[in-house]
Amino acid sequence: MDTTTVLDTFRKRTALLEGHFKLSSGLHSTGYLQCALVLQHPGDAEAVGRALAERLSGLGATVVLSPALGGLIIGHEVGRALGVRAIFAERTEGVLHLRRGFSLSPDDHVVVIEDVVTTGLSTRETVAVATAAGANVVGAGSIIDRSGGQADLGVPFHALAALSLPTYQPDACPLCAAGVPVVKPGSRAGTAKS
Ligand SMILES: [Zn+2]
């Protein structure tokens, strides 16, 4: 599964909409991305996970660690493809922790898996969870890199596709200025395809 195939899958599942959108943050954007709309299809999730695992296969990972909730399904599928454990960290009072009896040791070589990397903040927090447990973080991966290549994760990073979806304050939005009608994703999910 190459970059084009990944993005075609996202478009087919209406997980990637291109146009003029009002996001839940209130910002306007030229695109809308919702990985859950791909990952809700187990066959797609498995295929995307296998493709991401192939990019990461040289890292020698012995366990996948993902931040809940966004990284959970793709982390599980990457773990399946690599034949290693897939565990997740959860936020309590704003801080990521290992719970549910999950553990890491200095013998573990961890790859951190996310659905989307935007600023890289949650990936770095997840790396820190593994490091604090004494494990060795060998790399990170995501389906989509929205960082414009700017995310510094401190470990080797691989994404299946890079996307640039700029956001604007409504009063500075060039699409509004050009008179393009704005769409709120979710409200017309079936008709908002580009
Ligand atoms: Zn706008």
Side-chain angles (χ1 to χ4, degrees):
M1 189 178 250
D2 59 13
T3 296
T4 303
T5 312
V6 171
L7 294 179
D8 284 349
T9 301
F10 271 68
R11 292 188 181 102
K12 176 177 148 196
R13 300 305 190 189
T14 67
L16 172 62
L17 308 179
E18 287 142 303
H20 181 198
F21 300 98
K22 181 180 182 178
L23 307 180
S24 55
S25 61
L27 296 174
H28 289 198
S29 178
T30 58
Y32 172 73
L33 183 67
Q34 180 50 269
C35 289
L37 294 177
V38 169
L39 299 174
Q40 69 177 327
H41 300 282
D44 286 352
E46 183 180 19
V48 171
R50 198 183 314 120
L52 187 51
E54 284 170 9
R55 307 279 180 104
L56 301 166
S57 61
L59 296 174
T62 60
V63 57
V64 169
L65 175 64
S66 299
L69 262 166
L72 223 162
I73 292 172
I74 185 61
H76 192 265
E77 292 297 340
V78 170
R80 184 205 304 273
L82 291 175
V84 302
R85 282 193 298 152
I87 65 175
F88 53 89
E90 297 164 83
R91 246 172 241 290
T92 51
E93 296 175 357
V95 182
L96 276 179
H97 297 281
L98 292 179
R99 303 182 67 196
R100 304 175 194 269
F102 291 149
S103 64
L104 291 169
S105 79
D107 293 332
D108 286 313
H109 300 290
V110 177
V111 65
V112 171
I113 298 295
E114 290 251 37
D115 53 352
V116 182
V117 166
T118 304
T119 65
L121 178 61
S122 68
T123 305
R124 288 194 298 273
E125 288 179 296
T126 310
V127 168
V129 167
T131 305
N136 173 33
V137 179
V138 294
S142 69
I143 308 170
I144 306 287
D145 176 8
R146 286 193 66 171
S147 77
Q150 297 304 302
D152 179 10
L153 304 176
V155 295
F157 172 54
H158 299 274
L160 288 181
L163 275 182
S164 175
L165 301 173
T167 55
Y168 307 101
Q169 296 292 338
D171 59 4
C173 175
L175 296 164
C176 284
V180 179
V182 67
V183 173
K184 197 160 184 286
S187 58
R188 303 168 51 206
T191 57
K193 281 184 277 190
S194 58

